[in-house]
Amino acid sequence: MKLLRKSCILIMTAAVILSSGCSFDSEYNCEFFAMDTVMTISAYGSKSESAVKAAQNEINRLDKLLSVQRENSEIYRLNRLKEMTVSEDTLTLITRSKEIYTLTDGAFDISCEPLIREWGFYSGLENKVPSQQAIENALKGVGAAHINIENSRVKLDENTSLDLGAVAKGYASRKASEILKENGVSSALMSLGGNVRAVGSKPDGESWSVAITNPDDNSKSIGTLKISDKAVVTSGGYQRYFEENGQIYHHIIDTKTGHPADSGLKSVTVVSEDDTLADALSTSLFVMGLEKSKEFYSQNSLLFGAVFITHKGEIFVTDNLNDSFMSKQDFEVISV
């Protein structure tokens, strides 16, 4: 994951047949490293190469802007200065994050940086179980009330630091998909770590098929989702964790307790037309747990759909995904 791999290859193929007839189109694939993960973009059409390069440049720009560890990023400087005027993108994302904090009753919280640092879930730090005193000290600055916005100026309380890692890829996904469309691409698929974004449908008019990883065996899937022009984001405790004294600790922190979320879930996959919301909700619902997530869905079913996998291996799927989710395993449908 530390290796920066860039392999952009233009592939002309006769295997892709447009739904409008028997004409052929070009495919451009690009793999690169950004936001601490390997990303891939595959686009179709005569302008696919220039469009993908523009989308990649946008993702790299946002990475430099929003990274919590890059010393020249706005978030890094804001965390140290505690007050500064920020760019439109940073302001938009912090403002939206505060809105989602309210929507999820605090399950989504970008003021989690001190807690993530205490647990050692940053590159270059050693994973450790922090003392209860260290957790209590970190919690002093946690919560949206400690983030103040006035015009384009953001002010953080003394003990508050931000980490946009649970929402930045979603925002980057939306911006990149917009650039692809603006550059004439109507069919593309992006994989940004645990975030997948479909632009339109496949070149033949069919829906894209996105596999949901089996959290017990990452080489397998528990099912697939058929999507068009939507984002699919998965969060799970199996993605990043460490073990100490026989106990496993994952990276998704419940900011109400300061500890890794103990919600009874192994993973949550969210489907939405709103990439930023999908990214944030995949974390939020994981923190909430199944029962609270059911209540949240009943009140917000127009915003998203979701697939839940519990510690017992049970699969629950919201009813608005009934026609798009397929699995060989039994699953229960969550109705509004």
Side-chain angles (χ1 to χ4, degrees):
M1 295 289 286
K2 295 297 181 185
L3 296 178
L4 178 61
R5 296 186 296 164
K6 293 184 178 179
S7 54
C8 300
I9 305 170
L10 180 63
I11 303 172
M12 302 299 294
T13 175
V16 180
I17 301 177
L18 297 177
S19 58
S20 58
C22 297
S23 59
F24 301 111
D25 213 351
S26 59
E27 175 185 356
Y28 187 79
N29 299 294
C30 185
E31 180 180 277
F32 58 101
F33 191 87
M35 296 185 170
D36 206 30
T37 190
V38 175
M39 300 185 172
T40 60
I41 304 176
S42 297
Y44 301 84
S46 59
K47 299 180 180 179
S48 58
E49 180 177 2
S50 59
V52 168
K53 287 180 177 179
Q56 180 188 351
N57 289 338
E58 176 67 358
I59 292 171
N60 286 331
R61 182 187 71 83
L62 291 171
D63 187 12
K64 293 175 182 177
L65 193 69
L66 305 172
S67 170
V68 71
Q69 288 193 281
R70 286 179 180 262
E71 293 189 5
N72 59 346
S73 78
E74 279 195 345
I75 295 302
Y76 184 94
R77 288 187 285 119
L78 176 61
N79 284 343
R80 277 142 189 82
L81 296 174
K82 300 305 179 186
E83 183 176 359
M84 61 180 280
T85 299
V86 298
S87 66
E88 182 180 352
D89 289 301
T90 300
L91 182 66
T92 297
L93 203 46
I94 292 175
T95 302
R96 186 78 194 283
S97 295
K98 287 195 68 173
E99 294 170 352
I100 299 173
Y101 175 94
T102 301
L103 178 68
T104 61
D105 192 27
F108 178 76
D109 192 343
I110 60 171
S111 65
C112 57
E113 193 272 350
L115 289 166
I116 296 175
R117 185 168 296 280
E118 283 295 335
W119 285 90
F121 283 116
Y122 286 127
S123 299
L125 298 183
E126 183 179 351
N127 293 132
K128 69 179 187 303
V129 178
S131 66
Q132 187 57 35
Q133 184 60 56
I135 289 175
E136 290 174 5
N137 288 338
L139 285 170
K140 291 178 181 178
V142 168
H146 299 284
I147 307 169
N148 301 288
I149 302 172
E150 185 174 348
N151 298 321
S152 60
R153 198 159 183 86
V154 178
K155 182 179 180 180
L156 308 179
D157 287 353
E158 181 182 356
N159 298 310
T160 303
S161 295
L162 308 184
D163 184 328
L164 300 179
V167 71
K169 283 189 292 183
Y171 183 73
S173 171
R174 180 179 72 81
K175 297 284 282 187
S177 65
E178 290 174 353
I179 286 175
L180 289 174
K181 292 176 182 178
E182 289 168 2
N183 282 270
V185 169
S186 59
S187 179
L189 190 69
M190 297 188 292
S191 177
L192 316 183
N195 297 46
V196 174
R197 203 338 157 172
V199 175
S201 302
K202 293 166 66 175
D204 61 4
E206 295 292 322
S207 299
W208 298 97
S209 182
V210 178
I212 298 177
T213 300
N214 183 337
D216 294 321
D217 185 349
N218 293 357
S219 65
K220 299 179 180 179
S221 67
I222 59 95
T224 58
L225 285 161
K226 293 288 188 180
I227 62 164
S228 295
D229 220 28
K230 285 185 173 63
V232 179
V233 184
T234 298
S235 291
Y238 65 93
Q239 294 170 329
R240 203 183 336 157
Y241 62 90
F242 69 94
E243 185 174 340
E244 187 171 311
N245 298 324
Q247 178 73 35
I248 293 177
Y249 301 93
H250 61 75
H251 73 292
I252 303 177
I253 306 297
D254 182 347
T255 55
K256 289 184 172 64
T257 66
H259 290 261
D262 183 15
S263 63
L265 295 174
K266 282 188 177 179
S267 77
V268 177
T269 298
V270 173
V271 181
S272 178
E273 294 179 357
D274 185 336
D275 308 56
T276 308
L277 182 66
D279 203 3
L281 286 186
S282 67
T283 300
S284 309
L285 300 180
F286 186 94
V287 171
M288 288 183 194
L290 184 62
E291 294 309 312
K292 287 185 179 179
S293 292
K294 287 179 178 180
E295 296 176 15
F296 184 82
Y297 173 67
S298 68
Q299 299 167 5
N300 300 279
S301 60
L302 297 179
L303 298 179
F304 73 99
V307 179
F308 303 87
I309 303 176
T310 71
H311 279 312
K312 296 179 181 179
E314 303 161 310
I315 302 172
F316 293 83
V317 182
T318 56
D319 55 3
N320 57 3
L321 296 180
N322 222 354
D323 295 333
S324 58
F325 178 73
M326 292 171 287
S327 177
K328 293 180 180 180
Q329 299 176 230
D330 293 334
F331 59 90
E332 185 174 328
V333 176
I334 301 171
S335 300
V336 176

